[in-house]
Amino acid sequence: MDALIKLLDENLEYISHEIIEDTIYIHIKSNKIVACCPHCNTPSERIHSHYTRSFQDLPISGKKTVLILNNRKFFCDNEDCNRKTFAEKFDFIEHKAKKTKRLEAEIINLSKNMSSISASKLLGKSVATVSKSAVCNIFKKRNTNIR
């Protein structure tokens, strides 16, 4: 399972998993020692706190997948920076997103030729729980990023 998690980010580490009905819940954490402040790019090793962040990913063996990340907040050690703390960031997911980038790409691929209602129903059966408004928002976000 650890090798599967490393496909998202080499700095992630598998902790445990559980299968409940049609969903696999995978608990993961980062093993990075240093994180850089996104505002001033100053590296920091000082951990402020931890919090849990969960998001959906592509299905595994026909089961929906939810990743539960033990995310860390760090202190910014740059006295000139406006931010005193920051959360570590990952390339595979946007800030505050509830779905990985690769899941969003799959949602767009599967639903581009149908209504958001039909797409929501199709995706909910085997890929991920996605509301019709979420399908619309993903398309809107993708079109904004293309421009």
Side-chain angles (χ1 to χ4, degrees):
M1 188 69 84
D2 196 49
L4 188 66
I5 297 305
K6 298 263 186 230
L7 293 174
L8 286 172
D9 188 306
E10 65 184 29
N11 295 307
L12 291 177
E13 197 174 297
Y14 167 79
I15 299 171
S16 67
H17 74 278
E18 57 187 330
I19 301 172
I20 301 174
E21 296 177 9
D22 67 340
T23 306
I24 300 173
Y25 297 89
I26 303 173
H27 297 265
I28 57 177
K29 68 178 184 176
S30 172
N31 59 16
K32 284 193 260 185
I33 295 170
V34 176
C36 291
C37 175
H39 301 280
C40 68
N41 213 30
T42 301
S44 176
E45 294 180 15
R46 294 191 316 131
I47 297 172
H48 175 271
S49 59
H50 296 254
Y51 67 96
T52 302
R53 178 178 180 192
S54 64
F55 45 88
Q56 295 177 321
D57 193 23
L58 291 173
I60 299 173
S61 296
K63 298 206 177 284
K64 297 173 187 171
T65 302
V66 175
L67 300 172
I68 302 164
L69 174 65
N70 183 11
N71 210 14
R72 298 174 295 180
K73 287 182 84 171
F74 289 83
F75 287 102
C76 181
D77 294 326
N78 181 353
E79 294 174 4
D80 297 327
C81 184
N82 293 346
R83 301 299 294 255
K84 298 301 172 207
T85 63
F86 63 92
E88 60 188 328
K89 304 260 187 264
F90 299 93
D91 290 337
F92 66 90
I93 189 163
E94 296 288 341
H95 178 66
K96 294 189 179 182
K98 297 302 278 180
K99 294 168 185 46
T100 61
K101 289 179 182 178
R102 64 188 193 172
L103 175 58
E104 287 184 357
E106 186 65 16
I107 290 169
I108 287 172
N109 185 45
L110 290 174
S111 60
K112 60 184 165 190
N113 295 322
M114 60 180 72
S115 71
S116 59
I117 295 170
S118 299
S120 174
K121 288 178 183 175
L122 174 69
L123 291 162
K125 290 179 184 172
S126 61
V127 178
T129 304
V130 184
S131 68
K132 63 182 177 96
S133 61
V135 172
C136 292
N137 289 338
I138 290 169
F139 268 102
K140 194 182 306 180
K141 181 172 86 174
R142 184 61 58 108
N143 287 337
T144 303
N145 290 343
I146 291 172
R147 291 181 197 161

PDB file of all heavy atoms in Angstrom, residues 11 15 19-20 23 25 27-28 39-40 43 49 52 54 65 69 79 83 85 88-90 97 113 120 124-125 145:
ATOM      1  N   ASN A  11       6.969  11.787  -0.638  1.00  0.00           N
ATOM      2  CA  ASN A  11       7.138  12.131   0.772  1.00  0.00           C
ATOM      3  C   ASN A  11       5.974  11.693   1.646  1.00  0.00           C
ATOM      4  O   ASN A  11       5.942  12.011   2.831  1.00  0.00           O
ATOM      5  CB  ASN A  11       7.341  13.641   0.925  1.00  0.00           C
ATOM      6  CG  ASN A  11       8.626  14.094   0.281  1.00  0.00           C
ATOM      7  OD1 ASN A  11       9.690  13.566   0.564  1.00  0.00           O
ATOM      8  ND2 ASN A  11       8.531  15.070  -0.600  1.00  0.00           N
ATOM      9  N   ILE A  15      -0.098   4.839   6.717  1.00  0.00           N
ATOM     10  CA  ILE A  15      -0.244   4.531   8.140  1.00  0.00           C
ATOM     11  C   ILE A  15      -1.135   3.306   8.314  1.00  0.00           C
ATOM     12  O   ILE A  15      -0.740   2.317   8.914  1.00  0.00           O
ATOM     13  CB  ILE A  15      -0.827   5.725   8.929  1.00  0.00           C
ATOM     14  CG1 ILE A  15       0.093   6.931   8.826  1.00  0.00           C
ATOM     15  CG2 ILE A  15      -1.069   5.342  10.389  1.00  0.00           C
ATOM     16  CD1 ILE A  15      -0.483   8.216   9.388  1.00  0.00           C
ATOM     17  N   ILE A  19     -11.762  -0.660   5.221  1.00  0.00           N
ATOM     18  CA  ILE A  19     -12.771  -0.730   4.171  1.00  0.00           C
ATOM     19  C   ILE A  19     -14.129  -0.746   4.837  1.00  0.00           C
ATOM     20  O   ILE A  19     -14.420  -1.625   5.661  1.00  0.00           O
ATOM     21  CB  ILE A  19     -12.572  -1.976   3.294  1.00  0.00           C
ATOM     22  CG1 ILE A  19     -11.186  -1.949   2.651  1.00  0.00           C
ATOM     23  CG2 ILE A  19     -13.679  -2.067   2.241  1.00  0.00           C
ATOM     24  CD1 ILE A  19     -10.819  -3.217   1.912  1.00  0.00           C
ATOM     25  N   ILE A  20     -14.943   0.247   4.493  1.00  0.00           N
ATOM     26  CA  ILE A  20     -16.301   0.335   5.020  1.00  0.00           C
ATOM     27  C   ILE A  20     -17.237   0.419   3.824  1.00  0.00           C
ATOM     28  O   ILE A  20     -17.177   1.376   3.053  1.00  0.00           O
ATOM     29  CB  ILE A  20     -16.478   1.558   5.945  1.00  0.00           C
ATOM     30  CG1 ILE A  20     -15.496   1.477   7.114  1.00  0.00           C
ATOM     31  CG2 ILE A  20     -17.922   1.663   6.433  1.00  0.00           C
ATOM     32  CD1 ILE A  20     -15.478   2.703   8.005  1.00  0.00           C
ATOM     33  N   THR A  23     -16.202   1.858   0.229  1.00  0.00           N
ATOM     34  CA  THR A  23     -15.161   2.886   0.309  1.00  0.00           C
ATOM     35  C   THR A  23     -13.947   2.398   1.095  1.00  0.00           C
ATOM     36  O   THR A  23     -14.084   1.770   2.136  1.00  0.00           O
ATOM     37  CB  THR A  23     -15.721   4.166   0.970  1.00  0.00           C
ATOM     38  OG1 THR A  23     -16.900   4.570   0.272  1.00  0.00           O
ATOM     39  CG2 THR A  23     -14.715   5.291   0.939  1.00  0.00           C
ATOM     40  N   TYR A  25     -10.792   3.770   3.164  1.00  0.00           N
ATOM     41  CA  TYR A  25     -10.259   4.940   3.864  1.00  0.00           C
ATOM     42  C   TYR A  25      -8.789   4.663   4.165  1.00  0.00           C
ATOM     43  O   TYR A  25      -8.467   3.711   4.865  1.00  0.00           O
ATOM     44  CB  TYR A  25     -11.032   5.198   5.161  1.00  0.00           C
ATOM     45  CG  TYR A  25     -12.473   5.535   4.920  1.00  0.00           C
ATOM     46  CD1 TYR A  25     -13.443   4.527   4.839  1.00  0.00           C
ATOM     47  CD2 TYR A  25     -12.884   6.851   4.751  1.00  0.00           C
ATOM     48  CE1 TYR A  25     -14.775   4.832   4.607  1.00  0.00           C
ATOM     49  CE2 TYR A  25     -14.209   7.168   4.521  1.00  0.00           C
ATOM     50  CZ  TYR A  25     -15.148   6.154   4.445  1.00  0.00           C
ATOM     51  OH  TYR A  25     -16.465   6.466   4.193  1.00  0.00           O
ATOM     52  N   HIS A  27      -5.263   6.130   5.683  1.00  0.00           N
ATOM     53  CA  HIS A  27      -4.639   7.140   6.544  1.00  0.00           C
ATOM     54  C   HIS A  27      -3.169   7.286   6.132  1.00  0.00           C
ATOM     55  O   HIS A  27      -2.445   6.287   6.028  1.00  0.00           O
ATOM     56  CB  HIS A  27      -4.740   6.730   8.017  1.00  0.00           C
ATOM     57  CG  HIS A  27      -6.154   6.638   8.490  1.00  0.00           C
ATOM     58  ND1 HIS A  27      -6.781   7.667   9.125  1.00  0.00           N
ATOM     59  CD2 HIS A  27      -7.076   5.645   8.382  1.00  0.00           C
ATOM     60  CE1 HIS A  27      -8.021   7.320   9.411  1.00  0.00           C
ATOM     61  NE2 HIS A  27      -8.219   6.095   8.964  1.00  0.00           N
ATOM     62  N   ILE A  28      -2.759   8.539   5.899  1.00  0.00           N
ATOM     63  CA  ILE A  28      -1.407   8.816   5.433  1.00  0.00           C
ATOM     64  C   ILE A  28      -0.818  10.009   6.197  1.00  0.00           C
ATOM     65  O   ILE A  28      -1.557  10.760   6.844  1.00  0.00           O
ATOM     66  CB  ILE A  28      -1.367   9.098   3.915  1.00  0.00           C
ATOM     67  CG1 ILE A  28      -2.286  10.268   3.550  1.00  0.00           C
ATOM     68  CG2 ILE A  28      -1.716   7.859   3.124  1.00  0.00           C
ATOM     69  CD1 ILE A  28      -2.262  10.661   2.074  1.00  0.00           C
ATOM     70  N   HIS A  39       4.475  31.923   1.153  1.00  0.00           N
ATOM     71  CA  HIS A  39       4.457  33.375   0.955  1.00  0.00           C
ATOM     72  C   HIS A  39       5.855  33.955   0.761  1.00  0.00           C
ATOM     73  O   HIS A  39       6.048  34.827  -0.073  1.00  0.00           O
ATOM     74  CB  HIS A  39       3.751  34.061   2.127  1.00  0.00           C
ATOM     75  CG  HIS A  39       2.344  33.583   2.286  1.00  0.00           C
ATOM     76  ND1 HIS A  39       1.321  34.051   1.503  1.00  0.00           N
ATOM     77  CD2 HIS A  39       1.800  32.658   3.093  1.00  0.00           C
ATOM     78  CE1 HIS A  39       0.205  33.440   1.838  1.00  0.00           C
ATOM     79  NE2 HIS A  39       0.476  32.583   2.798  1.00  0.00           N
ATOM     80  N   CYS A  40       6.828  33.454   1.516  1.00  0.00           N
ATOM     81  CA  CYS A  40       8.184  34.014   1.424  1.00  0.00           C
ATOM     82  C   CYS A  40       9.235  32.981   1.025  1.00  0.00           C
ATOM     83  O   CYS A  40      10.393  33.313   0.853  1.00  0.00           O
ATOM     84  CB  CYS A  40       8.571  34.676   2.738  1.00  0.00           C
ATOM     85  SG  CYS A  40       8.786  33.508   4.098  1.00  0.00           S
ATOM     86  N   PRO A  43      12.447  28.151   4.381  1.00  0.00           N
ATOM     87  CA  PRO A  43      12.281  26.800   4.915  1.00  0.00           C
ATOM     88  C   PRO A  43      12.095  26.814   6.434  1.00  0.00           C
ATOM     89  O   PRO A  43      12.638  27.666   7.127  1.00  0.00           O
ATOM     90  CB  PRO A  43      13.574  26.087   4.527  1.00  0.00           C
ATOM     91  CG  PRO A  43      14.517  27.131   4.069  1.00  0.00           C
ATOM     92  CD  PRO A  43      13.781  28.396   3.858  1.00  0.00           C
ATOM     93  N   SER A  49       1.477  22.673  14.651  1.00  0.00           N
ATOM     94  CA  SER A  49       0.390  21.785  15.046  1.00  0.00           C
ATOM     95  C   SER A  49       0.103  20.787  13.926  1.00  0.00           C
ATOM     96  O   SER A  49       0.716  20.830  12.863  1.00  0.00           O
ATOM     97  CB  SER A  49      -0.869  22.600  15.359  1.00  0.00           C
ATOM     98  OG  SER A  49      -1.260  23.362  14.235  1.00  0.00           O
ATOM     99  N   THR A  52      -6.236  17.044  10.624  1.00  0.00           N
ATOM    100  CA  THR A  52      -6.614  16.001   9.688  1.00  0.00           C
ATOM    101  C   THR A  52      -7.318  16.619   8.493  1.00  0.00           C
ATOM    102  O   THR A  52      -8.199  17.459   8.647  1.00  0.00           O
ATOM    103  CB  THR A  52      -7.554  14.984  10.368  1.00  0.00           C
ATOM    104  OG1 THR A  52      -6.876  14.439  11.491  1.00  0.00           O
ATOM    105  CG2 THR A  52      -7.919  13.867   9.429  1.00  0.00           C
ATOM    106  N   SER A  54      -9.144  15.385   4.819  1.00  0.00           N
ATOM    107  CA  SER A  54      -9.584  14.238   4.023  1.00  0.00           C
ATOM    108  C   SER A  54     -10.041  14.690   2.649  1.00  0.00           C
ATOM    109  O   SER A  54     -10.571  15.795   2.487  1.00  0.00           O
ATOM    110  CB  SER A  54     -10.696  13.473   4.742  1.00  0.00           C
ATOM    111  OG  SER A  54     -11.836  14.273   4.880  1.00  0.00           O
ATOM    112  N   THR A  65     -12.269   5.777  -2.950  1.00  0.00           N
ATOM    113  CA  THR A  65     -11.103   5.960  -2.084  1.00  0.00           C
ATOM    114  C   THR A  65     -11.133   7.332  -1.434  1.00  0.00           C
ATOM    115  O   THR A  65     -11.300   8.343  -2.101  1.00  0.00           O
ATOM    116  CB  THR A  65      -9.803   5.808  -2.894  1.00  0.00           C
ATOM    117  OG1 THR A  65      -9.801   4.518  -3.508  1.00  0.00           O
ATOM    118  CG2 THR A  65      -8.590   5.936  -2.003  1.00  0.00           C
ATOM    119  N   LEU A  69      -5.291  12.585   5.507  1.00  0.00           N
ATOM    120  CA  LEU A  69      -3.917  13.062   5.663  1.00  0.00           C
ATOM    121  C   LEU A  69      -3.734  13.742   7.013  1.00  0.00           C
ATOM    122  O   LEU A  69      -4.499  14.635   7.369  1.00  0.00           O
ATOM    123  CB  LEU A  69      -3.592  14.047   4.534  1.00  0.00           C
ATOM    124  CG  LEU A  69      -2.257  14.773   4.590  1.00  0.00           C
ATOM    125  CD1 LEU A  69      -1.090  13.800   4.451  1.00  0.00           C
ATOM    126  CD2 LEU A  69      -2.194  15.821   3.491  1.00  0.00           C
ATOM    127  N   GLU A  79      11.101  36.880   9.880  1.00  0.00           N
ATOM    128  CA  GLU A  79      10.476  37.984  10.627  1.00  0.00           C
ATOM    129  C   GLU A  79       9.776  38.982   9.718  1.00  0.00           C
ATOM    130  O   GLU A  79       8.853  39.681  10.142  1.00  0.00           O
ATOM    131  CB  GLU A  79      11.529  38.696  11.474  1.00  0.00           C
ATOM    132  CG  GLU A  79      12.107  37.838  12.571  1.00  0.00           C
ATOM    133  CD  GLU A  79      13.245  38.515  13.313  1.00  0.00           C
ATOM    134  OE1 GLU A  79      13.541  39.693  13.027  1.00  0.00           O
ATOM    135  OE2 GLU A  79      13.838  37.844  14.188  1.00  0.00           O
ATOM    136  N   ARG A  83       2.967  36.027   7.371  1.00  0.00           N
ATOM    137  CA  ARG A  83       2.394  34.801   7.903  1.00  0.00           C
ATOM    138  C   ARG A  83       3.271  34.270   9.032  1.00  0.00           C
ATOM    139  O   ARG A  83       4.478  34.204   8.912  1.00  0.00           O
ATOM    140  CB  ARG A  83       2.300  33.733   6.818  1.00  0.00           C
ATOM    141  CG  ARG A  83       1.464  34.129   5.619  1.00  0.00           C
ATOM    142  CD  ARG A  83       0.009  34.423   5.966  1.00  0.00           C
ATOM    143  NE  ARG A  83      -0.709  33.290   6.427  1.00  0.00           N
ATOM    144  CZ  ARG A  83      -1.600  32.621   5.724  1.00  0.00           C
ATOM    145  NH1 ARG A  83      -1.864  32.975   4.492  1.00  0.00           N
ATOM    146  NH2 ARG A  83      -2.232  31.593   6.254  1.00  0.00           N
ATOM    147  N   THR A  85       2.298  31.220  10.571  1.00  0.00           N
ATOM    148  CA  THR A  85       2.210  29.774  10.391  1.00  0.00           C
ATOM    149  C   THR A  85       1.728  29.478   8.972  1.00  0.00           C
ATOM    150  O   THR A  85       1.134  30.328   8.314  1.00  0.00           O
ATOM    151  CB  THR A  85       1.225  29.123  11.383  1.00  0.00           C
ATOM    152  OG1 THR A  85      -0.088  29.632  11.147  1.00  0.00           O
ATOM    153  CG2 THR A  85       1.642  29.371  12.824  1.00  0.00           C
ATOM    154  N   GLU A  88       1.675  22.600   5.288  1.00  0.00           N
ATOM    155  CA  GLU A  88       2.455  22.019   4.204  1.00  0.00           C
ATOM    156  C   GLU A  88       1.542  21.768   3.007  1.00  0.00           C
ATOM    157  O   GLU A  88       0.369  21.473   3.147  1.00  0.00           O
ATOM    158  CB  GLU A  88       3.177  20.747   4.641  1.00  0.00           C
ATOM    159  CG  GLU A  88       2.294  19.624   5.132  1.00  0.00           C
ATOM    160  CD  GLU A  88       3.094  18.477   5.717  1.00  0.00           C
ATOM    161  OE1 GLU A  88       4.228  18.222   5.263  1.00  0.00           O
ATOM    162  OE2 GLU A  88       2.593  17.832   6.632  1.00  0.00           O
ATOM    163  N   LYS A  89       2.110  21.932   1.819  1.00  0.00           N
ATOM    164  CA  LYS A  89       1.363  21.815   0.568  1.00  0.00           C
ATOM    165  C   LYS A  89       1.847  20.598  -0.211  1.00  0.00           C
ATOM    166  O   LYS A  89       2.987  20.155  -0.040  1.00  0.00           O
ATOM    167  CB  LYS A  89       1.574  23.061  -0.290  1.00  0.00           C
ATOM    168  CG  LYS A  89       1.215  24.354   0.387  1.00  0.00           C
ATOM    169  CD  LYS A  89      -0.136  24.824  -0.044  1.00  0.00           C
ATOM    170  CE  LYS A  89      -0.452  26.193   0.482  1.00  0.00           C
ATOM    171  NZ  LYS A  89      -1.199  26.221   1.674  1.00  0.00           N
ATOM    172  N   PHE A  90       0.966  20.105  -1.081  1.00  0.00           N
ATOM    173  CA  PHE A  90       1.288  18.952  -1.920  1.00  0.00           C
ATOM    174  C   PHE A  90       0.859  19.241  -3.354  1.00  0.00           C
ATOM    175  O   PHE A  90      -0.164  19.872  -3.586  1.00  0.00           O
ATOM    176  CB  PHE A  90       0.572  17.700  -1.399  1.00  0.00           C
ATOM    177  CG  PHE A  90       0.975  17.348   0.004  1.00  0.00           C
ATOM    178  CD1 PHE A  90       0.248  17.815   1.090  1.00  0.00           C
ATOM    179  CD2 PHE A  90       2.095  16.577   0.245  1.00  0.00           C
ATOM    180  CE1 PHE A  90       0.624  17.513   2.384  1.00  0.00           C
ATOM    181  CE2 PHE A  90       2.482  16.273   1.539  1.00  0.00           C
ATOM    182  CZ  PHE A  90       1.748  16.738   2.613  1.00  0.00           C
ATOM    183  N   ALA A  97      -8.883  21.778  -1.458  1.00  0.00           N
ATOM    184  CA  ALA A  97      -9.666  20.921  -2.356  1.00  0.00           C
ATOM    185  C   ALA A  97     -10.106  19.652  -1.634  1.00  0.00           C
ATOM    186  O   ALA A  97      -9.453  19.200  -0.687  1.00  0.00           O
ATOM    187  CB  ALA A  97      -8.849  20.564  -3.582  1.00  0.00           C
ATOM    188  N   ASN A 113     -19.395  14.803 -21.937  1.00  0.00           N
ATOM    189  CA  ASN A 113     -20.430  14.670 -22.958  1.00  0.00           C
ATOM    190  C   ASN A 113     -21.811  14.347 -22.388  1.00  0.00           C
ATOM    191  O   ASN A 113     -22.634  13.734 -23.065  1.00  0.00           O
ATOM    192  CB  ASN A 113     -20.029  13.595 -23.981  1.00  0.00           C
ATOM    193  CG  ASN A 113     -18.808  13.991 -24.767  1.00  0.00           C
ATOM    194  OD1 ASN A 113     -18.647  15.157 -25.107  1.00  0.00           O
ATOM    195  ND2 ASN A 113     -17.940  13.038 -25.040  1.00  0.00           N
ATOM    196  N   SER A 120     -23.096  12.998 -12.343  1.00  0.00           N
ATOM    197  CA  SER A 120     -23.091  12.774 -10.899  1.00  0.00           C
ATOM    198  C   SER A 120     -23.547  11.359 -10.565  1.00  0.00           C
ATOM    199  O   SER A 120     -22.953  10.675  -9.730  1.00  0.00           O
ATOM    200  CB  SER A 120     -23.976  13.804 -10.206  1.00  0.00           C
ATOM    201  OG  SER A 120     -24.089  13.530  -8.847  1.00  0.00           O
ATOM    202  N   GLY A 124     -21.037   8.501  -9.109  1.00  0.00           N
ATOM    203  CA  GLY A 124     -21.372   8.016  -7.771  1.00  0.00           C
ATOM    204  C   GLY A 124     -21.442   6.511  -7.663  1.00  0.00           C
ATOM    205  O   GLY A 124     -21.264   5.953  -6.587  1.00  0.00           O
ATOM    206  N   LYS A 125     -21.689   5.836  -8.775  1.00  0.00           N
ATOM    207  CA  LYS A 125     -21.792   4.376  -8.754  1.00  0.00           C
ATOM    208  C   LYS A 125     -20.453   3.687  -8.572  1.00  0.00           C
ATOM    209  O   LYS A 125     -20.359   2.653  -7.945  1.00  0.00           O
ATOM    210  CB  LYS A 125     -22.464   3.874 -10.028  1.00  0.00           C
ATOM    211  CG  LYS A 125     -23.932   4.202 -10.102  1.00  0.00           C
ATOM    212  CD  LYS A 125     -24.537   3.702 -11.390  1.00  0.00           C
ATOM    213  CE  LYS A 125     -25.996   4.137 -11.472  1.00  0.00           C
ATOM    214  NZ  LYS A 125     -26.570   3.826 -12.784  1.00  0.00           N
ATOM    215  N   ASN A 145      -8.620  27.963 -15.468  1.00  0.00           N
ATOM    216  CA  ASN A 145      -7.177  27.701 -15.465  1.00  0.00           C
ATOM    217  C   ASN A 145      -6.598  27.627 -16.869  1.00  0.00           C
ATOM    218  O   ASN A 145      -5.427  27.902 -17.080  1.00  0.00           O
ATOM    219  CB  ASN A 145      -6.868  26.406 -14.703  1.00  0.00           C
ATOM    220  CG  ASN A 145      -7.098  26.554 -13.217  1.00  0.00           C
ATOM    221  OD1 ASN A 145      -7.174  27.657 -12.705  1.00  0.00           O
ATOM    222  ND2 ASN A 145      -7.221  25.435 -12.532  1.00  0.00           N
TER     223      ASN A 145
END
